Amino acid sequence: MYIKLMKKVILILLLSQSLSAAAQIRISDFKAAPGTADPRVFVQDQDGQPCAAIRLETKLSGWTFDAGLAGIMDTRQEDGAIWIYIPAFARNITVAHKDYAPLRDWPIPLTLQPGGCYTAQLSYMEPRPAVSRKAVEASVPGLRTMPQKHFSQHFTNVFVGFCCEKLEENYFEWDETCRVGFSYTWIGNRVGPYLSGAYDFDEGYSVVGGGAIRLTDPALASLDWQLYGGAGLMDGSLGFDIGTRFGWRSTHQVSHWDFGLGCQFFQGVIMPTISVGLCIWGIPTVVCVGLALSAI
């Protein structure tokens, strides 16, 4: 248990490290330049006032700057630095680069003066290559994540029907025979078709086709609740079949466990049915034959 917990912690840490691969931009050591203003500070703002000049020390080109309504009047690149000419009334600046996460609305720590010069360090973290989930799993021996569970799409069910025949008005009697059948249902996200066939020991049979609908949300619910209904040939006449099915989330497309209750109606006969779906290694397993034989 402890080893599994540690593996999960390692996976979370490595994945979070990959999310922080975008570099952080930082402006530091912002200060007024000593001595007189640089003679190149002759760029004017919208009001005709001299701009403040900020010298950001960086060897990288391709930077973009924004000062909101104040605007950036000019930028000039030189070896090891870039000059930004900004109106003196500006209070914030945004620094961006295509390879790094932007530094937005950085508050200028000093009150800029018209024609004043300022220096600062522009630093950043080199981006690291993104770490994929497969790379994380490969880097941690024995670490394997479970496949995501979902609702199955294929249902192979064996069902047993117990015959209840109407002998007189409002009087029913249980017959001693049972009907054993097999059904297959394919259901996508919400709806799909189904087909079933059954046979009893009095040489009666049924072949039914219809549709199934999934009532639960596959993205939210953990219980798969379906309704199905159809019509077909039952003992040589038209009959109807309705019922409900319950299943659980699975890592398989073929349902390995589900249960259902239903009922068939034909020629004055009511036949409740109990169904179960069981697959082992993807092979449907008939588990209701013993139940049917014992009920005879």
Coordinates of all heavy atoms in Angstrom, one line a residue, residues 84-120:
I84 N 13.9 50.8 -23.4 CA 12.5 51.0 -23.5 C 12.2 52.4 -23.2 O 12.6 52.9 -22.2 CB 11.7 50.1 -22.5 CG1 12.1 48.6 -22.7 CG2 10.2 50.2 -22.7 CD1 11.6 47.7 -21.6
Y85 N 11.5 53.1 -24.1 CA 11.1 54.5 -23.9 C 9.6 54.5 -23.6 O 8.8 54.2 -24.4 CB 11.4 55.3 -25.1 CG 12.9 55.3 -25.4 CD1 13.5 54.3 -26.2 CD2 13.7 56.3 -24.8 CE1 14.9 54.3 -26.4 CE2 15.1 56.3 -25.0 CZ 15.7 55.3 -25.8 OH 17.0 55.3 -26.0
I86 N 9.3 55.0 -22.4 CA 8.0 54.9 -21.8 C 7.6 56.2 -21.2 O 8.4 56.9 -20.6 CB 7.9 53.7 -20.8 CG1 6.5 53.5 -20.3 CG2 8.9 54.0 -19.6 CD1 6.4 52.2 -19.4
P87 N 6.3 56.6 -21.3 CA 5.9 57.9 -20.7 C 6.1 57.8 -19.2 O 6.0 56.8 -18.5 CB 4.4 57.9 -21.0 CG 4.2 57.1 -22.3 CD 5.2 56.0 -22.2
A88 N 6.4 59.0 -18.6 CA 6.8 59.0 -17.2 C 5.6 58.7 -16.3 O 5.8 58.3 -15.1 CB 7.4 60.4 -16.9
F89 N 4.4 58.8 -16.8 CA 3.2 58.6 -15.9 C 2.9 57.1 -15.9 O 1.9 56.7 -15.2 CB 2.0 59.4 -16.3 CG 1.6 59.2 -17.8 CD1 0.7 58.1 -18.1 CD2 2.0 60.0 -18.8 CE1 0.3 57.9 -19.4 CE2 1.6 59.8 -20.1 CZ 0.8 58.8 -20.4
A90 N 3.6 56.2 -16.6 CA 3.3 54.8 -16.6 C 3.6 54.2 -15.2 O 4.5 54.6 -14.5 CB 4.1 54.1 -17.7
R91 N 2.8 53.3 -14.8 CA 2.9 52.6 -13.5 C 3.1 51.1 -13.6 O 3.6 50.5 -12.6 CB 1.7 52.9 -12.6 CG 1.6 54.4 -12.3 CD 2.7 54.9 -11.4 NE 2.7 56.3 -11.1 CZ 3.4 57.2 -11.8 NH1 4.2 56.9 -12.8 NH2 3.3 58.5 -11.4
N92 N 2.8 50.5 -14.7 CA 2.9 49.1 -14.9 C 3.4 48.8 -16.3 O 3.3 49.6 -17.2 CB 1.6 48.4 -14.7 CG 1.0 48.5 -13.3 OD1 1.4 47.9 -12.4 ND2 0.1 49.5 -13.2
I93 N 4.1 47.6 -16.4 CA 4.6 47.2 -17.7 C 4.4 45.7 -17.8 O 4.6 44.9 -16.8 CB 6.1 47.6 -17.9 CG1 6.5 47.3 -19.3 CG2 7.0 46.9 -16.9 CD1 7.9 47.9 -19.6
T94 N 4.1 45.2 -19.0 CA 4.0 43.8 -19.3 C 5.1 43.4 -20.3 O 5.4 44.1 -21.3 CB 2.7 43.5 -20.0 OG1 1.6 43.7 -19.0 CG2 2.6 42.0 -20.4
V95 N 5.9 42.3 -19.9 CA 7.0 41.9 -20.7 C 6.6 40.5 -21.2 O 6.2 39.6 -20.5 CB 8.3 41.8 -19.9 CG1 9.4 41.4 -20.8 CG2 8.5 43.2 -19.2
A96 N 6.8 40.2 -22.5 CA 6.5 38.9 -23.1 C 7.5 38.5 -24.1 O 8.3 39.3 -24.6 CB 5.1 39.0 -23.8
H97 N 7.6 37.2 -24.3 CA 8.5 36.6 -25.3 C 7.8 35.3 -25.7 O 7.1 34.6 -24.9 CB 9.8 36.3 -24.7 CG 10.9 36.0 -25.7 ND1 11.0 34.7 -26.3 CD2 11.9 36.7 -26.2 CE1 12.0 34.7 -27.1 NE2 12.6 35.9 -27.1
K98 N 8.0 34.9 -27.0 CA 7.3 33.7 -27.5 C 7.7 32.4 -26.9 O 6.9 31.5 -26.9 CB 7.5 33.6 -29.0 CG 9.0 33.4 -29.4 CD 9.1 33.4 -31.0 CE 10.6 33.1 -31.4 NZ 11.0 31.8 -31.0
D99 N 8.9 32.4 -26.2 CA 9.4 31.2 -25.6 C 9.1 31.1 -24.1 O 9.5 30.1 -23.5 CB 10.9 31.0 -25.9 CG 11.2 30.8 -27.4 OD1 10.3 30.2 -28.1 OD2 12.3 31.3 -27.8
Y100 N 8.5 32.1 -23.5 CA 8.4 32.2 -22.1 C 6.9 32.6 -21.7 O 6.3 33.3 -22.5 CB 9.4 33.1 -21.5 CG 10.8 32.8 -21.9 CD1 11.5 33.5 -22.9 CD2 11.5 31.7 -21.3 CE1 12.8 33.2 -23.3 CE2 12.8 31.4 -21.7 CZ 13.4 32.1 -22.7 OH 14.7 31.8 -23.1
A101 N 6.6 32.3 -20.5 CA 5.3 32.8 -19.9 C 5.4 34.3 -19.7 O 6.4 34.7 -19.1 CB 5.0 32.0 -18.7
P102 N 4.5 35.1 -20.1 CA 4.6 36.5 -19.9 C 4.6 37.0 -18.5 O 3.9 36.4 -17.6 CB 3.4 37.1 -20.7 CG 2.4 36.0 -20.7 CD 3.2 34.7 -20.7
L103 N 5.2 38.1 -18.3 CA 5.2 38.8 -17.0 C 4.2 40.0 -17.2 O 4.5 41.0 -17.8 CB 6.6 39.3 -16.6 CG 6.6 40.2 -15.3 CD1 6.2 39.4 -14.1 CD2 8.0 40.8 -15.1
R104 N 3.0 39.8 -16.6 CA 1.9 40.8 -16.8 C 1.8 41.9 -15.7 O 1.9 41.5 -14.6 CB 0.6 40.1 -17.0 CG 0.6 39.0 -18.1 CD -0.8 38.4 -18.3 NE -0.8 37.4 -19.3 CZ -0.9 37.6 -20.6 NH1 -1.0 38.8 -21.0 NH2 -0.9 36.6 -21.4
D105 N 1.6 43.1 -16.2 CA 1.4 44.2 -15.3 C 2.3 44.3 -14.1 O 1.9 44.4 -12.9 CB -0.1 44.2 -14.8 CG -1.1 44.3 -15.9 OD1 -0.8 45.0 -16.9 OD2 -2.2 43.6 -15.8
W106 N 3.6 44.2 -14.4 CA 4.6 44.3 -13.4 C 4.6 45.7 -12.8 O 4.8 46.7 -13.6 CB 6.0 43.9 -13.9 CG 7.1 44.0 -12.9 CD1 7.3 43.1 -12.0 CD2 8.1 45.0 -12.8 NE1 8.4 43.4 -11.2 CE2 8.9 44.6 -11.7 CE3 8.4 46.2 -13.5 CZ2 10.0 45.4 -11.3 CZ3 9.4 46.9 -13.0 CH2 10.2 46.5 -12.0
P107 N 4.5 46.0 -11.5 CA 4.4 47.3 -11.0 C 5.8 48.0 -11.0 O 6.7 47.4 -10.4 CB 3.8 47.1 -9.6 CG 4.2 45.7 -9.2 CD 4.2 44.9 -10.5
I108 N 5.9 49.1 -11.6 CA 7.2 49.8 -11.6 C 7.4 50.4 -10.2 O 6.6 51.1 -9.7 CB 7.2 50.9 -12.6 CG1 7.0 50.3 -14.0 CG2 8.5 51.8 -12.6 CD1 6.8 51.4 -15.1
P109 N 8.6 50.0 -9.5 CA 8.7 50.4 -8.1 C 9.1 51.8 -7.8 O 9.0 52.3 -6.7 CB 9.9 49.4 -7.7 CG 10.7 49.2 -8.9 CD 9.7 49.1 -10.0
L110 N 9.5 52.6 -8.9 CA 9.8 54.0 -8.7 C 8.9 54.9 -9.5 O 8.3 54.4 -10.5 CB 11.3 54.2 -9.1 CG 12.4 53.4 -8.4 CD1 13.7 53.8 -9.0 CD2 12.4 53.8 -6.9
T111 N 8.8 56.1 -9.0 CA 8.0 57.1 -9.8 C 8.9 57.6 -10.9 O 10.0 58.2 -10.7 CB 7.5 58.2 -9.0 OG1 6.7 57.7 -7.9 CG2 6.8 59.3 -9.8
L112 N 8.6 57.3 -12.2 CA 9.4 57.7 -13.3 C 9.4 59.2 -13.5 O 8.3 59.9 -13.3 CB 8.9 57.0 -14.6 CG 8.9 55.5 -14.5 CD1 8.4 54.9 -15.9 CD2 10.3 54.9 -14.2
Q113 N 10.5 59.8 -13.9 CA 10.7 61.2 -14.1 C 10.8 61.4 -15.6 O 11.5 60.6 -16.3 CB 11.9 61.8 -13.4 CG 11.8 61.6 -11.9 CD 10.6 62.3 -11.3 OE1 10.3 63.5 -11.7 NE2 10.0 61.8 -10.2
P114 N 10.2 62.5 -16.2 CA 10.4 62.8 -17.6 C 11.9 62.9 -17.9 O 12.6 63.7 -17.2 CB 9.6 64.1 -17.8 CG 8.6 64.1 -16.7 CD 9.3 63.4 -15.5
G115 N 12.4 62.2 -18.9 CA 13.8 62.3 -19.3 C 14.7 61.6 -18.4 O 15.9 61.6 -18.6
G116 N 14.2 60.8 -17.4 CA 15.1 60.1 -16.5 C 15.5 58.7 -17.0 O 14.8 58.2 -17.9
C117 N 16.6 58.2 -16.5 CA 17.1 56.9 -17.0 C 17.1 55.9 -15.8 O 17.4 56.3 -14.7 CB 18.6 57.1 -17.5 SG 18.7 57.7 -19.2
Y118 N 16.8 54.7 -16.2 CA 16.7 53.6 -15.2 C 17.3 52.4 -15.7 O 17.3 52.1 -16.9 CB 15.2 53.4 -14.8 CG 14.5 54.7 -14.3 CD1 14.0 55.6 -15.2 CD2 14.5 55.0 -13.0 CE1 13.4 56.8 -14.8 CE2 13.9 56.2 -12.5 CZ 13.3 57.1 -13.5 OH 12.8 58.3 -13.1
T119 N 17.8 51.5 -14.8 CA 18.3 50.2 -15.3 C 17.7 49.1 -14.5 O 17.2 49.3 -13.3 CB 19.8 50.2 -15.0 OG1 20.1 50.4 -13.6 CG2 20.5 51.3 -15.8
A120 N 17.7 47.9 -15.0 CA 17.1 46.8 -14.4 C 17.7 45.5 -15.0 O 18.2 45.5 -16.1 CB 15.6 46.8 -14.5

